Amino acid sequence: MFVDVLAYWSMPKQEKQLPAHQAQEDSVQSTAAGDAGKAAADSGSQGGDKGKSDPSASLAAWAEITSLPTGKAGGGVTGGGNQGEGQQQEQQQQQQPGEQTKEQPTAAGGGPQEGHKFVTVELRVPKVPPTFNSWVLTEDMLLFHRRALQQQLEQTYVALGLAATAGRAFVLPEFSCFCQNSEAPLPRCRRPDSHKVQFPVPCPEGEVLQPLERFADPAGAGAALRVLPHAALHSMEMEESKVLVLKPSATILWPACTEPNQQCTFESGLESGATQLVLPPSLNDTHLLPFLEKYQERYPLWRLDLSDIGSHWHAFAGWDCAEPARQFDLRLQGAARPWPAPSGGGLQPMNLTSGRVYSDEPDMKDCPGGTALRRMQAVDMQT
């Protein structure tokens, strides 16, 4: 369990919403991946889903749309399930020599190319105490920093899970640091050449996470993940009209919103030009992904907004099946860099979470293969 730190959170910038409009139900019916992609494109021109639809009923269509063969999917996790005839035809079509393949960016931060899809997150950073930069007790500064950084890492973990289950690459947010990293506690958390620095400051990613290449290393344990540095957001030059803000909201009760004449999602435009989708909190992949079907092709960048829920864990509840969650957590073991122990004594490990992980969630099904793993493996890892 985690300490409630909402009292310290800074309030995010308010964005004006246009009136939400009633969504229209999409139906994707396809036996081959080519038909599934066409259905997704057709449905994208319509409105949002009606709450009365059964999300799990369209999960198979979502899997066909997002399970894009990359030539490396065959090296997936043992027990991945057999491909259907339609999926085999899709592979053959996509592997025709006449097709042109765009150059892929590297997992460690090559420039994103057209056609790729991404997820990022708007971090909620604890507000710094007004006198923090005048503190003289290094131990107290390190204690505050480690707690603030842990909250940011856990939000990143949740957003990474959403990216993995949707088969999208993840772009790191900008972390905020309240201390500088070193092998031992620094006086007032500052290096000698930075004694005038005012916290918080942007964290160098290399001081927070291990090298990004390790997330996609085929020799690593667990399912590979494609993680890009925060700077990739700027190199994308993404128009706001191509950005979907995903906003889980505690104002929506699941599954009551699936009853007739009820609505589970609310789509609106933001002043920035982005589209916002308000949806129920605490959904796992089986229930969440069908709501996102028609937005997969329309919006290259999904930005997760955590401002309308009481805990970042309510943004995404993980996997319905145990094996994808296990593969995800295996990959993220040891991903965070250590920081000095507040009381001295050398470096102290940090983890992406302070104890809770998706692979320990109760009531997951024993389904080692299938669409959930194929979605995670669909992200192109070419370097």
Side-chain angles (χ1 to χ4, degrees):
M1 303 302 295
F2 306 103
V3 178
D4 186 359
V5 294
L6 291 178
Y8 295 98
W9 282 358
S10 58
M11 297 301 295
K13 180 176 71 175
Q14 298 297 320
E15 295 179 297
K16 182 179 178 183
Q17 297 185 20
L18 299 177
H21 59 271
Q22 180 69 32
Q24 297 296 323
E25 182 176 4
D26 285 10
S27 174
V28 182
Q29 297 180 346
S30 173
T31 57
D35 292 336
K38 182 178 183 300
D42 292 341
S43 66
S45 62
Q46 301 179 19
D49 292 304
K50 287 184 178 179
K52 66 181 181 180
S53 62
D54 178 11
S56 59
S58 54
L59 189 62
W62 167 270
E64 288 189 12
I65 295 171
T66 57
S67 295
L68 302 178
T70 64
K72 297 186 179 183
V77 179
T78 303
N82 294 326
Q83 291 183 325
E85 181 179 352
Q87 290 173 310
Q88 293 175 347
Q89 292 175 355
E90 179 190 19
Q91 282 189 335
Q92 294 172 359
Q93 292 171 359
Q94 293 200 8
Q95 294 172 356
Q96 291 298 322
E99 289 194 0
Q100 299 297 320
T101 302
K102 295 182 179 293
E103 181 181 354
Q104 307 295 329
T106 67
Q113 304 295 317
E114 182 181 356
H116 291 283
K117 301 177 181 65
F118 310 93
V119 171
T120 191
V121 60
E122 299 174 2
L123 292 179
R124 306 203 71 194
V125 182
K127 183 181 292 185
V128 62
T131 61
F132 183 81
N133 283 292
S134 298
W135 288 9
V136 295
L137 296 178
T138 301
E139 180 179 359
D140 285 52
M141 296 184 74
L142 264 170
L143 285 168
F144 181 89
H145 165 78
R146 290 180 65 96
R147 186 170 68 247
L149 184 58
Q150 185 66 72
Q151 294 169 33
Q152 297 173 72
L153 288 172
E154 288 182 1
Q155 294 171 56
T156 301
Y157 174 88
V158 171
L160 256 171
L162 174 61
T165 197
R168 286 175 167 242
F170 182 72
V171 183
L172 289 175
E174 184 176 73
F175 297 103
S176 294
C177 275
F178 300 83
C179 194
Q180 293 180 328
N181 205 348
S182 180
E183 294 184 358
L186 295 165
R188 299 184 63 230
C189 273
R190 295 167 171 90
R191 299 187 183 99
D193 60 350
S194 306
H195 64 279
K196 293 184 179 181
V197 69
Q198 297 293 294
F199 298 113
V201 295
C203 297
E205 290 169 354
E207 294 186 5
V208 177
L209 297 172
Q210 301 291 347
L212 301 189
E213 291 89 345
R214 65 167 292 168
F215 290 94
D217 184 359
L225 303 170
R226 185 161 175 263
V227 180
L228 301 174
H230 178 71
L233 282 178
H234 302 292
S235 64
M236 287 180 193
E237 298 182 348
M238 187 76 66
E239 297 178 7
E240 282 293 301
S241 61
K242 297 182 179 180
V243 176
L244 179 68
V245 177
L246 298 177
K247 189 173 184 178
S249 175
T251 63
I252 304 174
L253 181 62
W254 171 270
C257 65
T258 61
E259 297 298 322
N261 302 319
Q262 299 296 315
Q263 189 172 349
C264 286
T265 62
F266 300 87
E267 182 181 323
S268 62
L270 300 176
E271 286 184 333
S272 64
T275 298
Q276 178 176 268
L277 183 67
V278 179
L279 65 165
S282 302
L283 300 184
N284 64 22
D285 62 331
T286 296
H287 295 120
L288 176 63
L289 293 182
F291 287 132
L292 304 179
E293 279 183 23
K294 64 175 168 289
Y295 301 100
Q296 178 77 338
E297 300 298 329
R298 288 166 56 185
Y299 297 97
L301 177 62
W302 292 353
R303 189 163 61 226
L304 185 60
D305 180 351
L306 305 172
S307 65
D308 206 26
I309 46 178
S311 169
H312 44 268
W313 291 102
H314 294 174
F316 173 57
W319 283 266
D320 200 15
C321 297
E323 184 60 18
R326 188 183 73 86
Q327 293 288 320
F328 178 74
D329 284 331
L330 277 175
R331 175 61 60 161
L332 295 183
Q333 286 181 353
R337 295 291 298 270
W339 283 75
S343 58
L347 293 173
Q348 187 176 43
M350 289 195 71
N351 298 309
L352 285 182
T353 78
S354 58
R356 177 178 178 178
V357 291
Y358 283 133
S359 56
D360 285 344
E361 293 295 312
D363 303 323
M364 286 190 293
K365 300 174 183 176
D366 184 16
C367 38
T371 58
L373 279 175
R374 288 202 299 273
R375 282 194 302 271
M376 292 174 68
Q377 297 160 355
V379 180
D380 196 339
M381 297 296 172
Q382 183 176 340
T383 58

